[in-house]
Amino acid sequence: MAGVAVDEAAKQPAAYANSWDHLSDELQRLDLLIRLQLFRQRRRQPSNPLDQFRGLVVTETEVESLLADEDPEDEFDPGRAEEYSLVAALAQIEIEIAEREKQSERHETYLSLPHLSRLFQLTPFQQNVLLLALAPQLDRKYEKLYAYLQDDVTRKAPTVDLAMTLFLGTDEQRLEARSAFDPSGALLKFRLLQMPENESEMTPLLSRQLKLDDRMVNFFLDSNRPEAHLERALKLSAPKRDSDSRLGKEKEQQYVRAFIQSSSLAENIIVHCHGTCRAAKEAFAEAVAGDLNQRLLIADVAQMIEGTVPFENAVWLTGREALLQPAVLCLDNFDVLNGEDVLSRARLKIVLDMAKACCRQLFLLGRRAWHPRGLVNDSIFVDLDFPTPDDSDRKEVWESLATDQFAPDVDLGALASKFHF
């Protein structure tokens, strides 16, 4: 019986070693889908002397094939043996991938593509679309394959039509899948997928090209480097194991920390920290992130407004970054949105919409008080004042920072009295 148990264990598929191990199998599956589509295209379009100009000219044979009905499925065709073989191989690798993913989950092995799918609640089709867009970033052979499949040598990126052709089987599925490319859908709302801006709204949806930005490619390859386009505006801190904030001794602050740490509510929690003491506000946000064993991602709103990335895009890329890390999000210089003009209100709405979708906890750091006036009814709003600390508190902070950075004879009390936070 022991030998039987060993044999059964040996039959279990191995868990994936890492994300690249998993992606390699997914790319093999994509290769089979492409081979299957190429075979079907050749069956519909017999060879032609002008094939060398494919994508540059439209032949009469091609036009006739476009207008002709599909061959009946039950018609015997000896050439279908190759198609059946490809279908069988595709089914087999899909089974193997699913089984190895289950084993990886049991072993708690992190795999980027399944993790992203769970994080953003993606459908299998949306997950396949991301794989299709990722492939040319990993191997340039896919540029030529996509151009050939799409009958256009200039189309090296996959289109919506190609995604539907490779991954969907019926017209009903294609119609339903159009919603995956809505601006409000996960792929575009969270900037997981890019549609080039030079393609106008007049371009039919099926013809629009699909791409990934460098941050998403790096994520799939297990790189955790933050969004490069927002490098000046973002600061990422490691989790604070010792989450005691020296500047956060007020009972109200301790109560908020305890509430956030123990909260299991579905509502978002927005904490507005205002006052003159910048260090105390940031230290408090870091302490809460430490309580949750997460990093703190600080985004400078003023830098986002002045940066080269359009503000709305920058805001959603920041929310995406907080989810990908994962990290608690903190928006510094929030006062620049605390205005009565139309532009400030529009920018504030963008921030709050992003927060609702991306943040369980959001910290807003500013100097002035803010009254949301019904703007955050769907969230728990907490208002905290951080007054300037007295001399003894500032001295304590300087002592915690000094260590061996100052000479032993430096008067930290005098230093604290001259330099505020």
Side-chain angles (χ1 to χ4, degrees), residues 34 36 54 133 136 145 251 253 265 288 295 299 304 354 401:
I34 291 173
L36 185 58
R54 182 177 173 84
L145 290 171
K251 289 184 178 180
Q253 296 174 28
L265 299 175
V288 174
R295 299 177 177 185
M304 292 163 67
M354 178 278 294
L401 298 175

Side-chain angles (χ1 to χ4, degrees), residues 359-376:
C359 305
R360 282 292 308 279
Q361 303 88 20
L362 174 68
F363 288 86
L364 308 175
L365 308 187
R367 295 178 67 87
R368 304 193 306 268
W370 176 56
H371 304 287
R373 300 175 186 173
L375 294 175
V376 293

Side-chain angles (χ1 to χ4, degrees), residues 3 113 121 130 153 221 231 252 270 278 326 342 378 382 386:
L113 185 55
Q121 299 182 329
L130 292 176
V153 293
L221 298 179
E231 200 165 23
E252 186 180 19
I270 298 177
R278 177 193 177 94
V342 174
D378 295 332
V382 179
F386 287 78

